[in-house]
Amino acid sequence: MKSNKKLLRGIFNKYLGPNILSEFTFSICTVIDGILSGQYLGDSALASIGICTPFPSILAVFAGMMGSGCLVKSSYYMGRGEKENANKVFSTVVFVSLLASVIITIIFILFAIPISSLFGASGQAADLLDGTVDYLVSCSIGTVGMIMYKVLSPIVQLEGKRMYIRIATIVLATLNIAGDLLNMYVFDRGLFGVGLATAISTIAATAVLAVALMTPRISFIFSFKLIDFSVLPELLYKGSPKAVR
């Protein structure tokens, strides 16, 4: 019993830090954007960023469902020694997530004005519409980063590459702060520049995780040949608790 408790405690402590970093990664961006924008661009900029908060939440529902479903099913197959089935799940999730990222980006760019109004930049807050649209459009460029980070992060942990998650978090925060400051002091692109800094930093952080999955002796390998859409219903079912949360 004691040895089991020690084992569980060791596993818990090993994964606690990376999981916390993964969960709060994009909250870091929102906090940084809010602090710097409120300080240098004024209260209206801070309010526009606040109006856009449903955007990362919407992405988190999809990304959390796909990432959690992928982790559950691929772990199951890996535990049974069925590496090809595990990679079938992984390849399908990566492909569908990338495709969804492109579609979501296009939708939010083309319909940024009505979406911003729906989020709250209307009525008495109509004067915030332009700033909200600018921030939403530029942030949506980073959709692929926001979604793929959530998808790849649990797989990177499963591969034992937790250091890459720490590096990705540092890259994210550093580039976001640097980008916001450059935007405010050099480029002067307002909220569009603030959102673009967030998009670039999230894509860069996700690239770090992608590099982790390209190192030698990696179990999870993406292959177009292994994509199988028939695994999606069960994946969505397994990941649905994460989406609900």
Side-chain angles (χ1 to χ4, degrees), residues 224-239:
F224 284 105
K225 296 179 180 179
L226 292 176
I227 295 173
D228 182 1
F229 296 112
S230 65
V231 305
L232 283 177
E234 189 173 4
L235 279 173
L236 297 177
Y237 171 73
K238 294 294 184 182

Side-chain angles (χ1 to χ4, degrees), residues 180-195:
D180 282 349
L181 292 176
L182 283 172
N183 173 61
M184 293 165 191
Y185 287 110
V186 180
F187 300 110
D188 193 23
R189 295 301 305 273
L191 281 175
F192 183 86
V194 174

Side-chain angles (χ1 to χ4, degrees), residues 61-193:
V61 171
F62 172 77
M65 184 164 51
M66 295 299 289
S68 180
C70 178
L71 179 63
V72 171
K73 289 303 297 179
S74 58
S75 298
Y76 169 77
Y77 284 129
M78 280 295 186
R80 291 169 58 91
E82 301 176 22
K83 186 175 180 179
E84 182 173 334
N85 283 333
N87 280 317
K88 182 185 294 185
V89 170
F90 175 68
S91 298
T92 304
V93 167
V94 169
F95 179 79
V96 171
S97 297
L98 287 172
L99 182 62
S101 298
V102 174
I103 294 172
I104 291 172
T105 299
I106 293 173
I107 290 173
F108 272 87
I109 290 177
L110 291 180
F111 302 101
I113 293 177
I115 291 174
S116 296
S117 298
L118 181 64
F119 282 174
S122 58
Q124 292 183 340
D127 58 324
L128 300 175
L129 180 61
D130 289 342
T132 303
V133 169
D134 285 346
Y135 185 73
L136 186 62
V137 168
S138 56
C139 266
S140 65
I141 297 172
T143 296
V144 64
M146 296 180 189
I147 288 180
M148 293 309 299
Y149 189 97
K150 291 283 188 180
V151 171
L152 296 181
S153 181
I155 300 299
V156 171
Q157 293 185 55
L158 201 60
E159 290 281 10
K161 304 288 184 179
R162 292 175 297 279
M163 179 58 68
Y164 283 85
I165 295 177
R166 299 187 184 96
I167 295 172
T169 304
I170 294 172
V171 168
L172 178 85
T174 302
L175 287 182
N176 199 15
I177 293 173
D180 282 349
L181 292 176
L182 283 172
N183 173 61
M184 293 165 191
Y185 287 110
V186 180
F187 300 110
D188 193 23
R189 295 301 305 273
L191 281 175
F192 183 86

